[in-house]
Amino acid sequence: VTFALAACIIAGVSGYPGHYDDHGPAYYNFDYGVHDAHTGDIKQQHEVRDGHVVKGSYSLAESDGTRRIVEYVAGPHNGFNAVVKRVGQAQHPQNYHHGSESLGGGLGGHYGGAESHVGPTHWGYNH
């Protein structure tokens, strides 16, 4: 009985919460991407782990026409470091109008079939 109890205690100690068995450095290479021209959902990611260091990048098409690119490295000695870039020229809608009658005097604008409405602010300002 004592031997069985000791075996259970030893087995329980090695499986306690927070216990980590290091089986050596991990290695993987991961790629992911979406290119849906209909919805504009364009993004990709690449990540490589070599031991305890992870290197990767991801990019995505922003709604203003630019592309965000993030390159990162993470490891036990330098922590997480990322460089964020924005590529391209931002495009903004050109057709704005003020005082639409159907909006009760608020600000309104149209962009490619979508419509945006801004009414009086909480300060009572109405244009």
Side-chain angles (χ1 to χ4, degrees), residues 4-78:
L5 182 59
C8 289
I9 292 173
I10 291 171
V13 169
S14 65
Y16 71 93
H19 177 75
Y20 175 71
D21 287 328
D22 187 359
H23 298 288
Y27 298 92
Y28 65 81
N29 189 341
F30 171 79
D31 286 299
Y32 170 79
V34 172
H35 188 102
D36 187 344
H38 178 70
T39 64
D41 187 10
I42 302 171
K43 57 191 165 201
Q44 61 189 28
Q45 180 180 2
H46 175 75
E47 186 172 284
V48 176
R49 180 169 178 178
D50 186 3
H52 297 293
V53 176
V54 175
K55 295 179 183 180
S57 65
Y58 67 89
S59 65
L60 58 106
E62 296 280 10
S63 60
D64 65 1
T66 61
R67 182 161 209 67
R68 182 185 337 164
I69 301 171
V70 179
E71 298 170 335
Y72 58 90
V73 176
H77 300 292
N78 295 321

Side-chain angles (χ1 to χ4, degrees), residues 63-66 86 89-96 110-111:
S63 60
D64 65 1
T66 61
R86 185 176 221 175
Q89 183 69 32
Q91 302 296 319
H92 300 286
Q94 298 297 317
N95 186 12
Y96 293 102
H110 298 280
Y111 179 66

